[in-house]
Amino acid sequence: MKHKPIIIKIDNLTQYKIDTHLIESLKNVQWRIQSNNYNELIAEVLDDTVKAIGMSWNNPNHPFAKYIHVSGTVSNELMNELLIHQPPHDRIIFSCWENELEKIQLIQQFQFQLFRKTFMENYMINDLLQKLKVMEEPGLMVPLEQILKQPNLEEDLFKLLKYSYEHTHLHNPAKEVAWQTWKDSFINDSPDLQLSFTVMENNRITAFIFLHPVNDDHYEIGWVGNQGNTNLLPILKQQLNQLCDKGIKTVEFEVDTTDYNAWQFAEILDLNTKLSWNSYILKSG
């Protein structure tokens, strides 16, 4: 007589044998399992072997969402268990690569809706500069290092950063915190204070692009903000030129379709040809 799988919540996976087909798909979340960085770990078990798992976790910066992940051939029973949520959560977020068609088909059965695509790509600086050859001059560019020495401009900048983040994450609202908290979080992320630039107009900050060193020849383009109609590409061109002068070869971008600021980069980054990390949402009620 064929046994029926059972759905159980477990503390860890060490007490069970893992199906060989499941091991590979667990690699990307192994760090979360090993560090106990989850709220729930739900297993589908057959003959003492885990055939599929679901897990959930919270993000303190986005307090209204429950985040979930699945690995293996997940049953409707496991999904139903995973979709149970309590206040303050009123939405569930699921993300996967756009070519993970089985996962997408699964969550669409439960009425999840696509709300964001994220592109994470590396580029040769010289290649980008070729595309930015003909470009207007930027406005008055002031390095972050100088802004941090002027309290009124510092407040102006981080209020803009806070506003930009909150208004590009409307589907999954950020926790309400003061602009000083945004500043502390940003500074802890070790930006390049000389090459992170703001643009000034009438003694007001109208735009910014922050840069972060990753290693000796690679940088990350970090948070981007804009108010008004500032063209960000001339700022980016100046930053790429200065990175090139420093001997930096490559830069990486993370661009969301919900980020109307960073989306100015979409054309020169050829994002329509890149693989996206898709995020789906299921709202209660």
Side-chain angles (χ1 to χ4, degrees), residues 212-267:
H212 301 262
V214 178
N215 56 45
D216 289 343
D217 58 7
H218 182 66
Y219 262 63
E220 176 186 359
I221 307 297
W223 284 348
V224 175
N226 187 14
Q227 58 182 342
N229 298 308
T230 303
N231 185 351
L232 297 174
L233 291 176
I235 311 168
L236 179 65
K237 178 182 178 181
Q238 293 292 330
Q239 290 175 307
L240 293 177
N241 274 320
Q242 293 192 35
L243 287 174
C244 197
D245 291 342
K246 283 186 61 171
I248 307 300
K249 305 295 184 186
T250 57
V251 288
E252 62 184 276
F253 290 77
E254 181 174 320
V255 179
D256 297 329
T257 52
T258 55
D259 188 344
Y260 47 83
N261 298 309
W263 198 250
Q264 285 193 36
F265 305 148
E267 185 174 349

Side-chain angles (χ1 to χ4, degrees), residues 120-283:
M120 296 167 279
E121 299 287 340
N122 292 342
Y123 296 85
M124 298 295 297
I125 290 177
N126 284 335
D127 292 343
L128 294 179
L129 286 173
Q130 286 297 314
K131 295 182 179 183
L132 292 168
K133 268 189 172 180
V134 180
M135 187 58 57
E136 64 190 70
E137 288 298 312
L140 174 62
M141 291 173 51
V142 181
L144 178 59
E145 186 176 47
Q146 292 185 28
I147 299 296
L148 295 177
K149 296 175 181 177
Q150 302 180 65
N152 60 323
L153 292 180
E154 178 184 82
E155 180 176 352
D156 196 27
L157 171 61
F158 288 103
K159 282 184 174 179
L160 176 57
L161 186 153
K162 169 181 160 68
Y163 176 89
S164 297
Y165 188 90
E166 290 174 346
H167 283 76
T168 56
H169 289 78
L170 296 177
H171 288 89
N172 187 16
K175 181 180 180 181
E176 177 58 44
V177 295
W179 67 266
Q180 293 91 339
T181 303
W182 285 96
K183 173 197 167 185
D184 293 341
S185 176
F186 169 69
I187 296 300
N188 287 339
D189 207 19
S190 303
D192 186 313
L193 299 181
Q194 288 77 42
L195 295 184
S196 294
F197 281 106
T198 65
V199 173
M200 303 287 299
E201 186 176 325
N202 297 324
N203 207 36
R204 290 290 311 278
I205 294 172
T206 59
F208 62 84
I209 301 178
F210 295 146
L211 302 186
H212 301 262
V214 178
N215 56 45
D216 289 343
D217 58 7
H218 182 66
Y219 262 63
E220 176 186 359
I221 307 297
W223 284 348
V224 175
N226 187 14
Q227 58 182 342
N229 298 308
T230 303
N231 185 351
L232 297 174
L233 291 176
I235 311 168
L236 179 65
K237 178 182 178 181
Q238 293 292 330
Q239 290 175 307
L240 293 177
N241 274 320
Q242 293 192 35
L243 287 174
C244 197
D245 291 342
K246 283 186 61 171
I248 307 300
K249 305 295 184 186
T250 57
V251 288
E252 62 184 276
F253 290 77
E254 181 174 320
V255 179
D256 297 329
T257 52
T258 55
D259 188 344
Y260 47 83
N261 298 309
W263 198 250
Q264 285 193 36
F265 305 148
E267 185 174 349
I268 67 161
L269 301 181
D270 297 320
L271 294 186
N272 62 331
T273 68
K274 308 299 184 183
L275 190 67
S276 64
W277 176 255
N278 288 3
S279 293
Y280 298 81
I281 191 168
L282 178 65
K283 292 184 179 180

